[in-house]
Amino acid sequence: MMKIAIASDHGGFELKEIVKKHVAERGFEVADLGTNSEESVDYPVYGKACGEAVANGDADCGIVVCGTGIGISIAANKVKGVRCGLCTSVEMAQLTKQHNNANVLALGGRTTAPELALQIVDAWLDTDFEGGRHERRTNMLDEM
Ligand code: RB5
């Protein structure tokens, strides 16, 4: 069973809970790395935790959420081996898998409505990497 690590700060907590329930209902195993309330916390801590879970193989892929998705995606992308894509549309979700083989998806809890966020999650989970010329580029990313 594919395991998804999921993490957020307080700005993404509400959406994280919605996404967590959705992916669990779809049959994925979920590792919730926090945060566990709307009390203010620091998004770099949670982006790093999720990125490391994916990079070290504890999870197959990850989902991170903060207010905009920006800060926590920056944090996740600091972890070597992570390719985190912040998506605000279904098309971006498909393309970040097809072209970037994103192993972490970032969402904005204050900027993307829950219904759209779940469509983005599904599109990202259900789309395959195209490989070919894109693999040369993702290999370049992984060497950075
Ligand atoms: C927290 O207030 C907010 O700055 C954070 O959730 C995120 O949007 C940062 O990029």
Side-chain angles (χ1 to χ4, degrees):
M1 186 198 294
M2 210 168 115
K3 185 169 171 183
I4 303 176
I6 188 163
S8 76
D9 73 352
H10 54 291
F13 171 71
E14 196 177 339
L15 181 57
K16 171 176 71 79
E17 294 300 300
I18 292 167
V19 170
K20 183 172 75 174
K21 181 169 176 282
H22 178 74
V23 295
E25 282 171 3
R26 279 198 51 175
F28 294 96
E29 187 181 348
V30 183
D32 184 349
L33 305 179
T35 188
N36 299 313
S37 75
E38 287 180 1
E39 190 179 326
S40 183
V41 292
D42 299 323
Y43 60 80
V45 172
Y46 296 90
K48 180 171 186 262
C50 187
E52 287 179 345
V54 174
N56 71 23
D58 283 350
D60 298 293
C61 60
I63 299 174
V64 290
V65 194
C66 68
T68 58
I70 297 171
I72 204 160
S73 65
I74 293 171
N77 272 316
K78 294 266 181 188
V79 179
K80 191 171 170 58
V82 169
R83 296 175 305 280
C84 176
L86 168 59
C87 295
T88 57
S89 71
V90 166
E91 185 184 15
M92 288 174 75
Q94 291 165 337
L95 285 168
T96 205
K97 184 63 80 60
Q98 289 170 341
H99 290 194
N100 316 121
N101 199 16
N103 51 11
V104 179
L105 171 70
L107 297 166
R110 294 174 178 158
T111 54
T112 301
E115 190 181 323
L116 175 58
L118 296 185
Q119 290 171 6
I120 289 169
V121 167
D122 285 341
W124 175 68
L125 287 171
D126 295 339
T127 301
D128 293 325
F129 180 45
E130 283 181 359
R133 70 186 187 281
H134 302 297
E135 189 158 17
R136 183 179 74 248
R137 296 162 184 161
T138 57
N139 287 341
M140 290 168 74
L141 291 176
D142 291 342
E143 281 164 19
M144 288 180 183

